[in-house]
Amino acid sequence: MASSCILVLLWAGLWRLHAGMAFGVLLGLPVAWILSRPLAPYLTGMQDIPLWLPPLPFAIVALSLLVLGALSWFRASAAPESAQPPEDPEPQ
């Protein structure tokens, strides 16, 4: 009970300082709770840990960076000419 009160007070302070981050925490905690439900048997030791589970966070980060890089690439190539940096003149 005391730890829940401390977490609520920390969240309230975060809300006062940075409301956008507090809103993200408010949305992220239920999502994390829902996504953690299928992993509970592995974390409690009820089942053996599958081979794909330990590298899963690294794979998620790598795929996220790949997608964000591809989106940046496509958005930059579709930018108008005035938004693109000037090309260097050829050396003489």
Side-chain angles (χ1 to χ4, degrees), residues 8-51:
V8 168
L9 288 174
L10 286 173
W11 183 82
L14 182 63
W15 184 266
R16 290 182 66 199
L17 294 175
H18 198 280
M21 187 182 296
F23 190 68
V25 168
L26 189 64
L27 293 178
L29 284 175
V31 170
W33 180 75
I34 290 170
L35 293 177
S36 71
R37 302 306 291 170
L39 299 177
Y42 304 118
L43 299 175
T44 58
M46 299 293 285
Q47 292 183 356
D48 291 335
I49 296 177
L51 187 61

Side-chain angles (χ1 to χ4, degrees), residues 4 6 19 25 43 51 57 65 78 80 82-83 88 90 92:
S4 298
I6 291 172
V25 168
L43 299 175
L51 187 61
L65 290 175
S82 62
D88 291 333
E90 294 185 21
Q92 297 181 12

